């Protein structure tokens, strides 16, 4: 069986297939948590920290996987505790607002990340 390429994370090397699966599961968990909290479209601090770290360390595809999964699960549903339906733009903007509030916005601000996600998320999710 061929090995998938590995991705270095600090002193640990993680096979990309395992990482993709873990981030997909984290995205599903986060979407369920957003639904159950019913306090609007607010991502958790833990997931925002993961997004900021992944982006800062050059893992844009992994950020797309994580936020794209949240978008795919929540898209078209009612905003928890709010009015209207959830779109991928709303999820991306919610992450940006929460990262800014937590002072976790990566170098260069949220703009480049949002542009990347607005281009990539609708394609794959």
């Amino acid at each position: 069986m061929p090995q998938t390429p590995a991705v270095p994370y600090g002193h640990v090397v993680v096979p990309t297939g395992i990482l993709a699966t873990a981030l997909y599961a984290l995205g599903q968990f986060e979407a369920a948590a957003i639904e159950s909290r019913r306090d609007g479209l607010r991502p958790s601090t833990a997931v925002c920290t993961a997004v900021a770290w992944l982006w800062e360390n050059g893992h844009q595809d992994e950020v797309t996987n994580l936020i794209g999964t949240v978008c795919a699960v929540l898209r078209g549903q009612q905003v928890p505790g709010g009015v209207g339906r959830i779109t991928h733009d709303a999820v991306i903007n919610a992450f940006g607002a929460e990262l800014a509030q937590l002072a976790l916005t990566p170098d260069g601000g949220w703009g480049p990340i949002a542009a990347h996600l607005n281009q990539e998320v609708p394609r794959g999710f």
Side-chain angles (χ1 to χ4, degrees):
M1 174 186 264
Q3 292 289 325
T4 57
V7 178
Y9 284 92
H11 65 283
V12 177
V13 177
V14 181
T16 56
I18 292 172
L19 180 62
T21 301
L23 290 173
Y24 176 75
L26 179 60
Q28 289 182 318
F29 177 82
E30 182 63 14
I34 288 170
E35 288 177 307
S36 69
R37 283 193 303 265
R38 306 211 47 80
D39 64 352
L41 193 53
R42 294 194 56 210
S44 69
T45 300
V47 173
C48 285
T49 302
V51 166
W53 187 91
L54 287 165
W55 190 267
E56 282 294 315
N57 287 280
H59 302 289
Q60 288 79 13
D61 289 344
E62 287 81 359
V63 172
T64 302
N65 182 359
L66 176 57
I67 295 180
T69 300
V70 174
C71 291
V73 172
L74 296 177
R75 183 181 57 229
Q77 297 184 28
Q78 291 288 346
V79 173
V83 178
R85 299 240 177 242
I86 296 173
T87 64
H88 77 275
D89 288 331
V91 173
I92 291 166
N93 292 338
F95 270 92
E98 197 66 19
L99 281 164
Q101 184 172 339
L102 295 168
L104 292 173
T105 303
D107 290 340
W110 183 248
I113 303 170
H116 168 81
L117 293 170
N118 277 311
Q119 180 178 353
E120 296 299 322
V121 169
R123 284 193 224 179
F125 298 89

